[in-house]
């Protein structure tokens, strides 16, 4: 089983709203990721959690706030977003967690949340 | 940073034809991954390659990890309409990227019945 689930599937929000995206995996994976993807472009890494600790923040604006309550769950809290933040937000997980150097760890993606900011 | 060149950008083929796409990099990777993405869905892993020179098949799909560790190709044989989508290559475990995935720009495949 390589399933990563995400809710909601679609989200429409105003620029003053606060909302959250949720991601869950039950594969015992120790690394979880948030990506942002614009139409017909590859995913862009936003955040990485390894063993429930934030390991990488790719200079993401503070209006995006990640949270990892436990090893199976990953949230992305949204506040005061801009229309250009509209995109497909993807969660992914991998087994081993981050390691330095040339370590590799296959990532499995969820179905994504289609976010529209009005 | 590392960049991947993926080609072609798009392909329009007839059902039953074979398809080939490839990715090249200016630096080495330890792993090559091929994902397929349907509209509005997340990328689905098709094939993972972990060893230089490795040739791996998954049904009608065949992928190879180049011997120089700087390239990979994906072949699809006897294409069917459900092969439509965007195919992304990704390199991982390179000299500077660690566990980060470096994606190609994608190949948009259209299959005409």
């Amino acid at each position: 089983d390589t399933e990563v689930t995400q809710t909601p599937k679609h989200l429409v929000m105003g620029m003053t709203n606060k909302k959250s995206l949720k991601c869950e995996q039950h594969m015992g994976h120790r690394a979880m990721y948030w990506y942002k993807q614009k139409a017909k472009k590859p995913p862009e890494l936003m955040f990485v959690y390894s063993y429930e600790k934030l390991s990488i923040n790719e200079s993401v604006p503070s209006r995006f706030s990640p949270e990892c309550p436990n090893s199976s769950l990953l949230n992305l809290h949204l506040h005061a977003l801009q229309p250009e933040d509209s995109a497909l937000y993807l969660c992914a997980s991998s087994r081993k967690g981050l390691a330095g150097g040339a370590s590799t760890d296959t990532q499995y993606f969820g179905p994504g949340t289609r976010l529209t900011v009005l | 940073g590392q960049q991947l060149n993926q080609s072609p950008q798009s392909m329009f083929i007839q059902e039953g034809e074979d398809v080939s796409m490839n990715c090249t990099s200016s630096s080495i990777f330890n792993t090559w991954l091929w994902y397929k993405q349907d509209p509005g869905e997340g990328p689905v892993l098709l094939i993972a390659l972990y060893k230089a020179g490795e040739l791996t098949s998954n049904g009608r799909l065949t992928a190879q990890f180049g011997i120089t560790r700087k390239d990979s190709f994906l072949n699809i044989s006897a294409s069917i309409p459900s092969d439509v989508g965007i195919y992304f290559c990704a390199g991982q475990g390179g000299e500077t990227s660690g566990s980060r995935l470096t994606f190609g720009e994608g190949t948009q495949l259209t299959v005409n019945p």
Side-chain angles (χ1 to χ4, degrees), chain A:
Chain A
D1 181 15
T2 54
E3 189 177 28
V4 177
T5 59
Q6 290 186 243
T7 56
K9 180 79 172 164
H10 300 277
L11 179 62
V12 179
M13 60 186 291
M15 289 189 284
T16 58
N17 292 157
K18 284 186 182 180
K19 297 285 184 183
S20 296
L21 309 185
K22 296 186 184 303
C23 174
E24 192 166 0
Q25 58 86 16
H26 294 288
M27 298 177 279
H29 287 182
R30 303 317 302 268
M32 297 186 77
Y33 309 76
W34 280 115
Y35 287 85
K36 174 183 177 181
Q37 187 180 28
K38 290 286 201 178
K40 298 194 185 300
K41 290 293 188 182
E44 298 172 22
L45 184 65
M46 300 174 71
F47 301 105
V48 182
Y49 273 82
S50 180
Y51 292 90
E52 297 149 58
K53 289 189 174 12
L54 182 64
S55 298
I56 293 176
N57 176 343
E58 294 282 8
S59 302
V60 179
S62 60
R63 57 186 184 268
F64 295 91
S65 175
E67 179 198 17
C68 189
N70 60 56
S71 61
S72 300
L73 293 175
L74 186 66
N75 298 322
L76 186 63
H77 303 296
L78 314 172
H79 173 54
L81 294 195
Q82 303 296 311
E84 59 264 30
D85 296 322
S86 298
L88 183 68
Y89 287 84
L90 295 164
C91 174
S93 71
S94 63
R95 185 169 60 90
K96 290 186 279 188
L98 283 186
S103 294
T104 63
D105 195 15
T106 304
Q107 292 181 28
Y108 297 90
F109 286 84
T113 293
R114 172 68 61 191
L115 174 67
T116 303
V117 182
L118 301 177

Side-chain angles (χ1 to χ4, degrees), chain B residues 6-61:
Chain B
Q6 183 172 352
S7 64
Q9 281 189 322
S10 61
M11 302 183 75
F12 297 83
I13 62 170
Q14 292 297 124
E15 183 177 359
E17 289 183 0
D18 297 343
V19 170
S20 185
M21 58 192 79
N22 70 85
C23 276
T24 59
S25 170
S26 57
S27 54
I28 64 172
F29 288 106
N30 292 330
T31 298
W32 282 93
L33 304 163
W34 285 93
Y35 291 90
K36 182 195 176 204
Q37 188 171 23
D38 292 331
E41 299 292 331
V44 173
L45 182 67
L46 298 175
I47 291 181
L49 301 158
Y50 300 108
K51 201 169 168 183
E54 179 181 357
L55 182 71
T56 297
S57 293
N58 178 7
R60 294 178 296 106
L61 308 177

